[in-house]
Amino acid sequence: MKENLVITISREFGSGGHEIGEKLAKALGVPFYDRQIIEKAAEHTGFSAEFIAEHEQRFTSSLMFNLAMGNYTRTGELPLHDQIDIVESNIIRDFAKEGSCVIVGRCANYILEGDYDCLNVFVYSSNAAKLDRIMSKYGYDAKKAEKTIKETNRSRSKHYSYFTGRIWGDRNNYDLMVSSEKYSTDEIVELIKCAAEKMK
Amino acid sequence: MKENLVITISREFGSGGHEIGEKLAKALGVPFYDRQIIEKAAEHTGFSAEFIAEHEQRFTSSLMFNLAMGNYTRTGELPLHDQIDIVESNIIRDFAKEGSCVIVGRCANYILEGDYDCLNVFVYSSNAAKLDRIMSKYGYDAKKAEKTIKETNRSRSKHYSYFTGRIWGDRNNYDLMVSSEKYSTDEIVELIKCAAEKMK
């Protein structure tokens, strides 16, 4: 594998992307960043990790709503989710600077574009496969699983568009897109390893 | 690799997908079908291969245009491009029945769905990379290359939607999508081989 390669993994909720990223990092012997980004952001901002986790995804892009909710405390100050985005972007750049790693989510492919060697991966699967996975992982019934999948993926998609001006899951943002449906987690890890090793 | 695995390759014009498919088939020691589908369709219909090649892509979905052009020679008779689609679909099913192979284009992923074990691949690249490839492959200037890329891909996209009711290049239609931009043809061939060997 080339030196200092950052593998970014974007993933549909329910596709198993987090687990794939974690196993991939272990297989490559490089750091894995997902929850750690939240923890670092908590350190930097003084908010709790739970507060960051809640507000990095559940944002609104409506100015009026932000005003009503008091997110604009002074004229010219950014809404909270924008502030969190900026802090997290800096953390992601710091992680990439340290060398090869696997980063899950948070528009890392966009943040590092042009400055670091990246292999940008998107993991997805069919609605039925996502439903199966979430029902068995969290013990949800089909209705709750479906609602959670829909809302979480809509939220990821909205955040990606808001932050990057691009479309989440659009092939032009990724080097490799793989469906987790016909593969085990270990097989996909091997496949991404294979792609990382061959990268120019 | 599992027995009787059909690898279908859909590809943006200019991404090098045809060459990837050809080399992949050679590397796996299985038949490769692209132009052969046209030749078989010519045999079956009595039209020339050139005539088939012209009419399988350059179709219109407008009933009025077909009527005006005389494609409807009798009430209830299908337009020519639909007839070609049916003939080509049967040829693709016959090829798949014979065992493992690589099939390029012609909605083969859709035609074989549910009936055969398939690894469905989509190959793409950025506009700049497509432009570079087509200019150097055909000796076109940038303007002609850009026009040809745009028209050919629009035509593939329209045909895929017309025939399948789905969106060409939408991840839900494929198991693996790979950009040819950061890889050589041989590297992508290895990557797809790797995916084929790991397939459940």
Side-chain angles (χ1 to χ4, degrees):
Chain A
M1 196 173 87
K2 76 195 297 178
E3 242 183 304
N4 298 333
L5 180 67
V6 179
I7 303 176
T8 72
I9 299 193
S10 310
R11 74 293 179 223
E12 289 181 345
F13 177 74
S15 70
H18 172 90
E19 197 186 345
I20 288 165
E22 198 165 20
K23 284 196 168 185
L24 176 67
K26 198 173 249 177
L28 293 170
V30 302
F32 171 69
Y33 300 121
D34 186 346
R35 175 81 188 173
Q36 292 82 343
I37 297 164
I38 293 175
E39 281 157 10
K40 275 264 180 202
E43 272 176 45
H44 283 291
T45 57
F47 293 119
S48 72
E50 286 62 39
F51 183 88
I52 298 284
E54 180 67 21
H55 286 81
E56 67 166 1
Q57 294 282 338
R58 309 266 166 238
F59 81 106
T60 170
S61 60
S62 153
L63 177 67
M64 289 313 290
F65 185 75
N66 277 312
L67 286 168
M69 297 297 285
N71 284 340
Y72 282 95
T73 51
R74 285 199 309 273
T75 310
E77 195 173 295
L78 289 170
L80 183 60
H81 61 81
D82 282 337
Q83 295 180 43
I84 294 175
D85 278 344
I86 292 169
V87 171
E88 289 191 341
S89 298
N90 289 331
I91 292 166
I92 285 169
R93 278 192 208 95
D94 284 346
F95 284 148
K97 217 177 286 170
E98 287 169 19
S100 294
C101 59
V102 175
I103 303 176
V104 168
R106 292 172 192 79
C107 315
N109 58 338
Y110 177 81
I111 292 163
L112 302 176
E113 192 176 271
D115 295 326
Y116 296 90
D117 285 324
C118 291
L119 168 62
N120 298 315
V121 180
F122 189 92
V123 182
Y124 58 100
S125 65
S126 70
N127 286 334
K130 288 198 281 279
L131 209 58
D132 274 348
R133 186 183 296 265
I134 293 305
M135 286 169 73
S136 95
K137 188 171 177 186
Y138 298 105
Y140 291 172
D141 62 21
K143 199 176 164 190
K144 185 169 179 186
E146 194 172 17
K147 190 168 181 280
T148 309
I149 291 165
K150 208 171 163 183
E151 283 180 0
T152 309
N153 284 325
R154 191 178 54 189
S155 170
R156 286 182 185 174
S157 174
K158 276 177 70 179
H159 179 258
Y160 192 86
S161 298
Y162 176 86
F163 187 70
T164 70
R166 301 179 184 175
I167 296 167
W168 187 65
D170 178 304
R171 63 183 180 270
N172 295 301
N173 303 321
Y174 314 96
D175 303 303
L176 183 72
M177 301 179 72
V178 55
S179 164
S180 57
E181 189 147 355
K182 293 184 189 167
Y183 294 101
S184 70
T185 301
D186 288 334
E187 285 164 347
I188 296 198
V189 167
E190 280 303 309
L191 188 62
I192 302 174
K193 253 185 80 177
C194 180
E197 280 155 11
K198 293 193 190 322
M199 196 131 198
K200 271 185 245 176
Chain B
M1 197 172 89
K2 75 196 296 178
E3 242 184 304
N4 298 331
L5 180 66
V6 179
I7 302 177
T8 72
I9 299 193
S10 310
R11 73 295 178 220
E12 289 181 345
F13 177 74
S15 70
H18 172 90
E19 199 186 344
I20 288 165
E22 198 165 21
K23 284 197 167 183
L24 176 67
K26 198 174 250 179
L28 293 171
V30 302
F32 171 68
Y33 301 120
D34 186 347
R35 175 83 189 171
Q36 292 83 342
I37 298 164
I38 293 176
E39 282 157 10
K40 275 265 178 199
E43 272 177 44
H44 282 291
T45 58
F47 293 119
S48 73
E50 288 62 39
F51 183 87
I52 297 285
E54 180 66 21
H55 286 81
E56 66 165 3
Q57 294 282 339
R58 309 268 166 236
F59 80 107
T60 171
S61 59
S62 152
L63 177 68
M64 290 311 292
F65 185 76
N66 277 312
L67 285 168
M69 296 298 284
N71 285 339
Y72 283 94
T73 51
R74 283 198 309 273
T75 310
E77 195 172 295
L78 288 170
L80 183 59
H81 60 82
D82 282 336
Q83 294 180 44
I84 295 175
D85 279 344
I86 291 168
V87 170
E88 289 191 341
S89 298
N90 289 331
I91 292 166
I92 284 169
R93 278 193 209 96
D94 284 346
F95 283 148
K97 217 177 284 170
E98 286 169 17
S100 294
C101 60
V102 175
I103 303 175
V104 169
R106 292 173 193 79
C107 316
N109 58 338
Y110 176 81
I111 292 163
L112 302 176
E113 193 175 87
D115 295 327
Y116 296 89
D117 284 323
C118 291
L119 168 62
N120 298 315
V121 180
F122 189 92
V123 182
Y124 59 100
S125 64
S126 70
N127 286 333
K130 288 197 283 276
L131 210 58
D132 275 348
R133 186 184 295 265
I134 293 306
M135 287 169 72
S136 96
K137 188 170 178 185
Y138 297 106
Y140 291 171
D141 61 22
K143 198 176 164 191
K144 185 169 179 188
E146 195 172 15
K147 190 168 181 279
T148 310
I149 291 165
K150 208 171 162 184
E151 283 179 359
T152 309
N153 284 326
R154 192 178 53 188
S155 169
R156 287 183 185 174
S157 174
K158 275 177 69 179
H159 179 259
Y160 193 86
S161 297
Y162 176 85
F163 187 71
T164 70
R166 300 179 185 176
I167 296 168
W168 187 66
D170 178 305
R171 63 183 180 271
N172 295 301
N173 303 320
Y174 313 97
D175 302 304
L176 184 73
M177 302 180 72
V178 55
S179 163
S180 57
E181 190 147 354
K182 295 184 189 166
Y183 294 101
S184 70
T185 301
D186 288 333
E187 284 163 347
I188 296 200
V189 166
E190 280 303 310
L191 188 63
I192 302 174
K193 254 186 81 179
C194 181
E197 280 155 9
K198 293 193 187 326
M199 196 128 197
K200 273 183 245 177

